[in-house]
Amino acid sequence: MKAIVLTGYSPFIPDELKGIMEEQYRHFLSIEDREPEVAAHFNNLHGEKWKKIRKVVLDRMTYDYPSVSAADLAALSVPALILNGSIDPHEVDAVAFMKKANPAIEAGLIRRQPYCQYGLSQSI
């Protein structure tokens, strides 16, 4: 591996988001009933297999999230870049956690501007 680039990433799910993750899990598992047009779009794009993939991904991301420790981050030997949004506190905290664990990680926050659709980057 030559490099790692992450966006919108958190090395772990903060306790305060676990309930939201479970709510999201239930919502996506019942998307055919809640948002049939979205389910139809997924079906058109991927065929019936998307339903199985959805379940596997949701189980993993909700109940078996691939957490990364500070020691794991400190051991990274390839260049790494993380860019997260600056609105959600868990994304800001994730950037700070990663940078503290490994100062060689290039880290930044994308700041949303009222006049700019995409925002501007701010390095940490």
Side-chain angles (χ1 to χ4, degrees):
M1 183 180 319
K2 294 183 179 183
I4 300 170
V5 177
L6 302 166
T7 61
Y9 175 75
S10 179
F12 52 85
I13 300 298
D15 288 338
E16 65 270 13
L17 288 184
K18 289 183 179 173
I20 292 169
M21 295 295 289
E22 289 183 359
E23 183 180 323
Q24 176 180 280
Y25 178 89
R26 288 188 298 276
H27 178 84
F28 280 116
L29 281 183
S30 62
I31 202 164
E32 293 98 322
D33 298 327
R34 296 174 183 262
E35 299 182 52
E37 65 285 346
V38 172
H41 180 70
F42 285 146
N43 211 51
N44 288 336
L45 284 174
H46 308 291
E48 289 292 318
K49 68 181 177 189
W50 76 270
K51 294 175 185 176
K52 181 179 179 183
I53 294 167
R54 165 192 59 181
K55 176 82 166 99
V56 169
V57 169
L58 285 172
D59 283 349
R60 173 72 184 231
M61 299 309 282
T62 304
Y63 299 111
D64 191 23
Y65 190 83
S67 297
V68 177
S69 70
D72 294 331
L73 293 167
L76 276 178
S77 60
V78 297
L81 167 67
I82 179 164
L83 291 172
N84 277 1
S86 61
I87 294 173
D88 293 326
H90 72 277
E91 287 194 10
V92 174
D93 292 346
V95 169
F97 175 83
M98 292 179 72
K99 185 68 174 176
K100 182 178 179 185
N102 186 334
I105 293 174
E106 293 292 330
L109 296 173
I110 300 170
R111 204 168 30 128
R112 181 85 193 253
Q113 299 295 318
Y115 54 84
C116 178
Q117 180 181 359
Y118 299 105
L120 301 172
S121 180
Q122 174 182 341
S123 235
I124 291 185

